[in-house]
Amino acid sequence: MKSRIFKQDHLLGIEDLSVGDIELILETAESFVEISTRDIKKVPALKGKTVVNLFFEDSTRTRSSFEIAAKRLSADLINFNATRSSLTKGESLKDTVLTLEAMNPHIIVLRHSASGTAKYLTTFARSSIINAGDGFHEHPTQALLDALTIKQKFNTLRNLKISIVGDILHSRVARSNILLHQKLGNNIALIGPPSLVPDEFREMGTKIYYNLREGIKGSDVVMMLRVQKERGARNYFPSIREYRKFFEINRETFAHAKKKAILMHPGPLNRDVEIETSLADSDKSVILQQVTNGIAVRMAVLYLLKGEIDEVVA
Amino acid sequence: MKSRIFKQDHLLGIEDLSVGDIELILETAESFVEISTRDIKKVPALKGKTVVNLFFEDSTRTRSSFEIAAKRLSADLINFNATRSSLTKGESLKDTVLTLEAMNPHIIVLRHSASGTAKYLTTFARSSIINAGDGFHEHPTQALLDALTIKQKFNTLRNLKISIVGDILHSRVARSNILLHQKLGNNIALIGPPSLVPDEFREMGTKIYYNLREGIKGSDVVMMLRVQKERGARNYFPSIREYRKFFEINRETFAHAKKKAILMHPGPLNRDVEIETSLADSDKSVILQQVTNGIAVRMAVLYLLKGEIDEVVA
Amino acid sequence: MKSRIFKQDHLLGIEDLSVGDIELILETAESFVEISTRDIKKVPALKGKTVVNLFFEDSTRTRSSFEIAAKRLSADLINFNATRSSLTKGESLKDTVLTLEAMNPHIIVLRHSASGTAKYLTTFARSSIINAGDGFHEHPTQALLDALTIKQKFNTLRNLKISIVGDILHSRVARSNILLHQKLGNNIALIGPPSLVPDEFREMGTKIYYNLREGIKGSDVVMMLRVQKERGARNYFPSIREYRKFFEINRETFAHAKKKAILMHPGPLNRDVEIETSLADSDKSVILQQVTNGIAVRMAVLYLLKGEIDEVVA
């Protein structure tokens, strides 16, 4: 483990990270990858530190990923069940967090339905805040684990064409990925129906396509986004059948990407809606590798924010 | 701890175990019994290993038993709340498990309402699967902890008469116990109303009785099953009052068993439905000892599946 | 850490504690305060011990406080979700606790809506019971953390005037505080509408005031109680507006206390109902310090009940 220092107090979004920060996180994660896939000895880097999962939206997979990451670093992990907490007694978010903070946790992992909530917490909290998804804003550890997966496949994170397909408008995953690949200088194509890929995104330096085959052409990476039925995404297109007809990735549409292209999805999948089952399960898909890398990236972020530098990892 | 090796990768059911496997589990559990009842030092046998409780049916007692067992072996225990997970977002069981597996847990403890689910998982999962109850099929750790309790009382697991009373038809506890005591060569009596003890069970080599006193005669062990009101068991008999009249175990009916007979129940009890309160609380009852043994048996199974042989326990 | 011995097997209420017991808990807590606010090393005092949170009422903040306290002492902490447990299958409280006990936990932390439940458990349980709130009866760790906070501010716990304002009738926090400050010989003023501060409380040696300004006069400590809208407190006064008019603590009303008086609240706050926001956030308020002290006091109680004396803490 190099002694290069992570200069951030929090991880709120890719927006705040320098290219050096991103590279440091990914290199640190790489050193944790091996640990995560083998019969492990625990790493004592966060022994005696308390990490709180403060989730205002249910997300078993992201919550569990942070929980496993924290425990592999020997931290104490507290699941603070915010949906059944004092908030139901009318307490404000600020009072909930101030109360939690008074218990002196070292890191709070926050998921909240409102954009900007993670940043708001840093205006009064003393612990390190990790944004595990805030509304339509950012989900930085997802973009970082995606980047780690891409790096493992292509041995580089430069000069790639990254296509992101689906509901760009409401996707914090898309937003964090766009910001990350812009910083690294990759080409970004956003693909979806006009209602879900507004023109404003052009100002972020991306190219917009309303035709899947056309947009995907020459892509190294195709990232599918989930059709979020439960969030009313259907208000933005006529029907699932219609959406699938134009924007499902399948063997035929995926063939327009480069021969060595990889297929990504943040999960959970809507099989045979945005992604064809046989393609999702093919060797083109790196979807489960993304999940595996999630542990390593979250270990890296927890470690860089609060780990002891002298308790060398590897 | 002997170095005899457990040859199973999973614990799906008693059906798959040899007599040697059963004896190895029980002997290993015996070495953990002492640890569980005393002021303990933690056993480091699963340090750095991750055990996931994946429960699709609520069961605080079984879930907690596995959680305590895992923690006493120094494992990291993750409660993956399946009822509120991505499944509610339409994800399939297979995708949920594949995602969980990509986080590289060592053991998944599964409870599911569908028979055969645990076995299904082994067709694609790399981690060890422990069946903590699958539909009407099996609940092997329950039968094993019952066996440990019987062994402690009679100092043998051979030449005993085991009577099982109640809803045999829908009971995975009954099924696992029948399979276990058949393998060990004990005599098994199944007792209940015809609607809940179908003739097919005779083919398993058991004797069937519709009369409690008659069936219980000469029993060493009387296992009562829970009337599962919440699963509609009442469709199979006229009323609770009627059921109780014919099949409640009480001081009078229990007197038909051997003088040294013991009374078992997997819990939770329906007091004064299938079991009379004063008998349940008498010294004939080993119900709480069963619970205590549950920790030791689950420690043994976790240890035999994933423990380090060279990290000797005792 | 002095080797003075805590003579209690349980912590059911302040009622059962001697002045010596209270002082021992507070002194032990003081030695944990430093640990809780710094970058900690874990204390191994409860290593290998199992603590169960058995909460029949939701309370994320108290539950989390005990969880963090237990983990900082290296105990294994099991959250036994009682609202979704076997109880919903018709099991009695006694059977739930006996089952839990058969798993040999060392300490059970109980919250229950019925007064006297914690004491009831001690009639059959072998583990140590900590009352984390039972109905309208007691909440001893709250009174102890309040006392620790007062001691830190005034450097004494003698010759103080403690005013408690609000719904005294239904408050276990008030009851535990009244008992504690009576034992220590402080003056206690109870303030609220006649419907919520019945005359019987005079028999406990307190003074009763129906006028906030009058009651508060000369107070060293003003403890506000929460208006428990969710428990129907509003049946006892005409409206929130009316209650606020007469019993809200704000800069004007608080000015009637001593110049160095402190403001306390057990949380969660109803801002601008019983407590004015600007005062709650002022340097008069020690509300968050109470939360911080909660960890230290709970560590002290857990340690004194089940810690190894020879594993010296400091």
Side-chain angles (χ1 to χ4, degrees):
Chain A
M1 188 62 54
K2 296 166 198 167
S3 60
R4 280 159 57 200
I5 289 165
F6 189 59
K7 296 184 195 82
Q8 308 285 336
D9 294 322
H10 310 282
L11 179 67
L12 303 182
I14 301 298
E15 194 171 10
D16 309 308
L17 299 181
S18 69
V19 170
D21 290 332
I22 294 169
E23 286 171 347
L24 177 58
I25 294 171
L26 296 182
E27 284 162 27
T28 307
E30 281 169 329
S31 74
F32 285 122
V33 164
E34 212 187 6
I35 295 172
S36 282
T37 54
R38 293 199 183 169
D39 255 24
I40 50 166
K41 299 281 178 201
K42 284 188 98 158
V43 180
L46 288 183
K47 194 166 171 63
K49 305 285 168 75
T50 303
V51 179
V52 176
N53 267 337
L54 179 62
F55 274 56
F56 290 87
E57 292 185 329
D58 272 341
S59 168
T60 305
R61 64 169 65 208
T62 304
R63 190 186 55 65
S64 297
S65 182
F66 273 107
E67 181 167 352
I68 291 173
K71 287 182 173 172
R72 288 200 177 148
L73 294 168
S74 304
D76 290 327
L77 187 291
I78 309 285
N79 284 307
F80 196 93
N81 191 333
T83 51
R84 297 192 301 160
S85 81
S86 300
L87 283 175
T88 60
K89 297 183 187 171
E91 192 183 45
S92 72
L93 171 65
K94 182 169 179 178
D95 279 343
T96 297
V97 174
L98 283 174
T99 300
L100 191 54
E101 278 257 306
M103 298 181 195
N104 291 303
H106 299 80
I107 297 176
I108 295 176
V109 180
L110 177 80
R111 168 161 292 194
H112 199 284
S113 59
S115 303
T117 311
K119 183 164 192 124
Y120 170 61
L121 259 56
T122 65
T123 62
F124 57 86
R126 285 163 299 140
S127 49
S128 286
I129 307 296
I130 296 177
N131 181 5
D134 63 329
F136 302 148
H137 179 229
E138 282 229 40
H139 188 1
T141 56
Q142 179 70 43
L144 288 161
L145 70 88
D146 291 342
L148 178 59
T149 309
I150 295 168
K151 190 178 173 195
Q152 288 167 339
K153 283 290 167 185
F154 293 100
N155 226 351
T156 178
L157 275 169
R158 299 291 191 287
N159 299 316
L160 300 169
K161 179 176 174 186
I162 316 284
S163 292
I164 309 178
V165 184
D167 180 0
I168 312 289
L169 179 61
H170 300 105
S171 173
R172 52 199 178 204
V173 174
R175 217 182 122 75
S176 287
N177 266 294
I178 292 167
L179 290 164
L180 186 144
H181 291 289
Q182 276 186 320
K183 284 178 196 271
L184 296 180
N186 291 312
N187 295 312
I188 304 162
L190 305 181
I191 305 166
S195 56
L196 292 172
V197 193
D199 266 3
E200 296 89 278
F201 279 91
R202 279 189 229 275
E203 293 163 28
M204 297 178 76
T206 64
K207 288 190 179 165
I208 293 181
Y209 300 88
Y210 306 125
N211 180 290
L212 179 60
R213 289 168 189 80
E214 192 188 325
I216 256 178
K217 204 171 172 184
S219 295
D220 298 283
V221 174
V222 178
M223 285 187 187
M224 300 307 297
L225 299 176
R226 176 181 167 72
V227 173
Q228 299 193 296
K229 301 178 206 166
E230 72 278 10
R231 295 200 192 173
R234 264 196 261 188
N235 299 334
Y236 294 85
F237 48 85
S239 70
I240 294 288
R241 178 192 292 246
E242 186 87 355
Y243 183 89
R244 186 180 178 188
K245 183 174 164 193
F246 289 107
F247 296 105
E248 184 194 51
I249 196 82
N250 52 38
R251 291 190 174 270
E252 184 267 315
T253 47
F254 191 69
H256 291 75
K258 278 192 188 159
K259 203 176 168 186
K260 293 197 173 177
I262 59 172
L263 177 66
M264 309 185 82
H265 191 296
L269 307 183
N270 289 309
R271 287 172 174 273
D272 301 320
V273 175
E274 74 262 3
I275 192 165
E276 189 187 45
T277 277
S278 71
L279 185 64
D281 298 339
S282 74
D283 61 359
K284 302 295 185 188
S285 163
V286 295
I287 295 172
L288 293 174
Q289 191 174 330
Q290 291 173 269
V291 177
T292 302
N293 285 332
I295 307 279
V297 158
R298 282 155 188 145
M299 287 176 78
V301 170
L302 293 167
Y303 172 80
L304 289 169
L305 286 172
K306 289 292 177 186
E308 303 296 333
I309 291 297
D310 47 319
E311 292 183 37
V312 176
V313 173
Chain B
M1 187 64 51
K2 296 164 198 167
S3 59
R4 279 159 58 199
I5 290 166
F6 188 60
K7 296 184 195 80
Q8 307 285 337
D9 294 321
H10 310 282
L11 179 66
L12 303 182
I14 300 299
E15 194 171 8
D16 309 308
L17 300 181
S18 68
V19 170
D21 289 333
I22 293 169
E23 285 171 347
L24 177 58
I25 294 170
L26 296 181
E27 284 163 27
T28 307
E30 281 169 328
S31 74
F32 285 122
V33 164
E34 213 188 3
I35 294 172
S36 281
T37 53
R38 292 200 184 167
D39 256 23
I40 51 164
K41 299 282 177 200
K42 284 189 100 159
V43 179
L46 288 183
K47 193 165 171 63
K49 305 285 168 74
T50 303
V51 179
V52 175
N53 268 336
L54 179 61
F55 275 55
F56 290 87
E57 291 185 327
D58 272 342
S59 168
T60 306
R61 65 168 65 209
T62 303
R63 191 187 55 66
S64 297
S65 182
F66 273 106
E67 181 168 352
I68 292 173
K71 288 182 172 172
R72 289 202 176 147
L73 293 168
S74 306
D76 290 327
L77 188 290
I78 308 285
N79 284 307
F80 196 93
N81 192 333
T83 51
R84 296 192 302 160
S85 80
S86 300
L87 283 176
T88 60
K89 297 183 188 170
E91 193 181 42
S92 73
L93 171 64
K94 182 169 179 180
D95 279 342
T96 297
V97 174
L98 284 174
T99 300
L100 192 52
E101 278 257 306
M103 298 182 195
N104 291 303
H106 298 79
I107 297 175
I108 296 176
V109 180
L110 177 80
R111 168 159 293 192
H112 198 282
S113 59
S115 303
T117 311
K119 182 162 192 125
Y120 170 60
L121 260 57
T122 65
T123 61
F124 56 88
R126 285 162 299 140
S127 51
S128 286
I129 308 297
I130 296 176
N131 181 4
D134 63 329
F136 301 149
H137 179 230
E138 282 229 38
H139 187 0
T141 56
Q142 179 70 43
L144 288 161
L145 70 88
D146 291 342
L148 178 59
T149 309
I150 295 168
K151 191 179 173 194
Q152 287 167 339
K153 283 292 165 183
F154 294 100
N155 225 351
T156 179
L157 274 169
R158 299 292 190 287
N159 299 315
L160 299 170
K161 179 177 174 186
I162 317 284
S163 292
I164 309 179
V165 184
D167 179 0
I168 312 290
L169 180 60
H170 300 105
S171 173
R172 52 198 178 206
V173 173
R175 218 181 121 75
S176 287
N177 266 293
I178 292 167
L179 290 164
L180 186 144
H181 291 288
Q182 275 186 320
K183 283 177 197 272
L184 296 179
N186 291 312
N187 295 312
I188 303 162
L190 305 181
I191 305 166
S195 57
L196 292 172
V197 193
D199 266 4
E200 296 89 277
F201 279 91
R202 279 189 229 276
E203 295 161 27
M204 297 179 75
T206 65
K207 287 190 180 167
I208 293 181
Y209 300 88
Y210 307 125
N211 180 290
L212 179 60
R213 288 167 190 80
E214 194 187 323
I216 256 176
K217 202 169 172 186
S219 295
D220 299 283
V221 174
V222 179
M223 286 187 186
M224 301 308 297
L225 299 176
R226 175 180 167 73
V227 173
Q228 299 193 296
K229 299 178 208 167
E230 72 278 12
R231 296 200 191 173
R234 264 197 259 188
N235 299 334
Y236 294 85
F237 48 84
S239 69
I240 292 287
R241 178 193 292 245
E242 186 86 355
Y243 184 90
R244 186 179 179 189
K245 183 174 163 193
F246 289 107
F247 296 104
E248 184 195 52
I249 195 82
N250 53 38
R251 292 190 174 268
E252 184 267 317
T253 48
F254 191 70
H256 291 75
K258 277 193 188 158
K259 205 178 167 185
K260 292 198 172 176
I262 59 173
L263 177 66
M264 309 185 83
H265 192 295
L269 307 183
N270 289 308
R271 288 172 173 273
D272 301 321
V273 175
E274 74 264 2
I275 192 165
E276 189 188 45
T277 277
S278 72
L279 185 64
D281 298 338
S282 75
D283 60 0
K284 301 294 186 189
S285 162
V286 296
I287 295 171
L288 293 175
Q289 192 175 330
Q290 290 172 267
V291 177
T292 302
N293 285 332
I295 307 279
V297 158
R298 282 155 188 145
M299 287 176 78
V301 171
L302 293 167
Y303 172 79
L304 289 170
L305 287 172
K306 290 291 176 185
E308 303 296 333
I309 291 297
D310 47 318
E311 292 183 36
V312 176
V313 173
Chain C
M1 186 65 51
K2 295 165 197 168
S3 61
R4 279 159 59 198
I5 289 166
F6 189 59
K7 295 184 196 81
Q8 307 286 335
D9 294 321
H10 310 281
L11 179 68
L12 304 182
I14 300 299
E15 193 170 9
D16 310 308
L17 299 181
S18 68
V19 170
D21 289 333
I22 293 169
E23 286 171 347
L24 177 57
I25 293 170
L26 296 182
E27 284 162 28
T28 307
E30 281 169 328
S31 74
F32 285 121
V33 164
E34 212 187 6
I35 294 172
S36 282
T37 53
R38 293 202 184 167
D39 256 23
I40 50 166
K41 299 281 176 201
K42 282 188 100 158
V43 180
L46 288 183
K47 193 166 172 62
K49 305 285 169 76
T50 303
V51 179
V52 176
N53 267 336
L54 180 61
F55 274 55
F56 290 86
E57 292 184 328
D58 272 342
S59 168
T60 305
R61 65 168 64 208
T62 304
R63 191 186 56 65
S64 298
S65 182
F66 273 106
E67 181 167 351
I68 292 173
K71 288 182 173 172
R72 289 199 177 150
L73 293 167
S74 305
D76 290 327
L77 188 290
I78 309 285
N79 283 307
F80 197 93
N81 192 332
T83 50
R84 297 192 302 160
S85 81
S86 299
L87 284 176
T88 59
K89 298 183 187 171
E91 192 182 44
S92 73
L93 171 65
K94 182 169 179 179
D95 279 343
T96 298
V97 174
L98 283 174
T99 300
L100 192 54
E101 278 257 306
M103 299 182 195
N104 291 303
H106 299 79
I107 297 176
I108 296 176
V109 180
L110 177 79
R111 167 159 293 193
H112 199 283
S113 59
S115 304
T117 311
K119 182 163 193 127
Y120 170 60
L121 259 55
T122 64
T123 61
F124 57 87
R126 285 162 299 139
S127 50
S128 287
I129 308 296
I130 297 177
N131 181 5
D134 64 329
F136 302 149
H137 179 230
E138 283 230 39
H139 189 0
T141 56
Q142 179 71 44
L144 288 161
L145 70 89
D146 291 342
L148 178 60
T149 310
I150 296 168
K151 191 180 172 193
Q152 287 167 339
K153 283 292 166 183
F154 294 100
N155 224 351
T156 178
L157 274 169
R158 299 291 190 286
N159 299 316
L160 299 170
K161 179 175 174 186
I162 316 284
S163 291
I164 308 178
V165 185
D167 179 359
I168 312 289
L169 180 61
H170 301 105
S171 172
R172 53 199 177 204
V173 174
R175 218 181 122 73
S176 287
N177 265 294
I178 292 167
L179 290 164
L180 186 145
H181 291 288
Q182 276 186 319
K183 284 177 196 272
L184 296 179
N186 291 312
N187 295 313
I188 303 162
L190 305 181
I191 305 166
S195 57
L196 292 173
V197 193
D199 266 4
E200 296 88 278
F201 279 90
R202 279 190 229 276
E203 295 162 26
M204 296 179 76
T206 64
K207 288 190 179 168
I208 292 180
Y209 300 88
Y210 307 125
N211 180 291
L212 179 60
R213 289 168 189 78
E214 192 187 325
I216 256 176
K217 202 170 173 185
S219 294
D220 297 284
V221 174
V222 178
M223 284 186 188
M224 300 307 298
L225 300 176
R226 175 179 167 72
V227 174
Q228 299 193 296
K229 300 178 207 166
E230 72 278 11
R231 295 200 192 174
R234 264 198 258 187
N235 298 333
Y236 294 85
F237 47 85
S239 71
I240 294 287
R241 178 193 293 246
E242 186 86 356
Y243 183 89
R244 185 180 178 188
K245 182 174 164 192
F246 289 108
F247 296 105
E248 184 196 52
I249 197 80
N250 53 38
R251 292 189 173 270
E252 184 267 317
T253 48
F254 191 70
H256 290 77
K258 278 192 187 159
K259 204 178 169 185
K260 294 197 172 177
I262 59 174
L263 178 67
M264 309 184 83
H265 192 295
L269 306 184
N270 289 309
R271 289 173 173 274
D272 301 321
V273 175
E274 75 261 3
I275 192 165
E276 189 187 46
T277 276
S278 71
L279 186 64
D281 299 337
S282 75
D283 61 359
K284 301 295 186 187
S285 163
V286 294
I287 295 171
L288 293 175
Q289 191 174 331
Q290 290 172 269
V291 177
T292 303
N293 285 332
I295 307 279
V297 158
R298 283 157 187 143
M299 287 175 78
V301 170
L302 293 167
Y303 172 80
L304 289 170
L305 286 172
K306 289 292 177 187
E308 303 295 333
I309 291 297
D310 47 318
E311 292 183 36
V312 176
V313 173

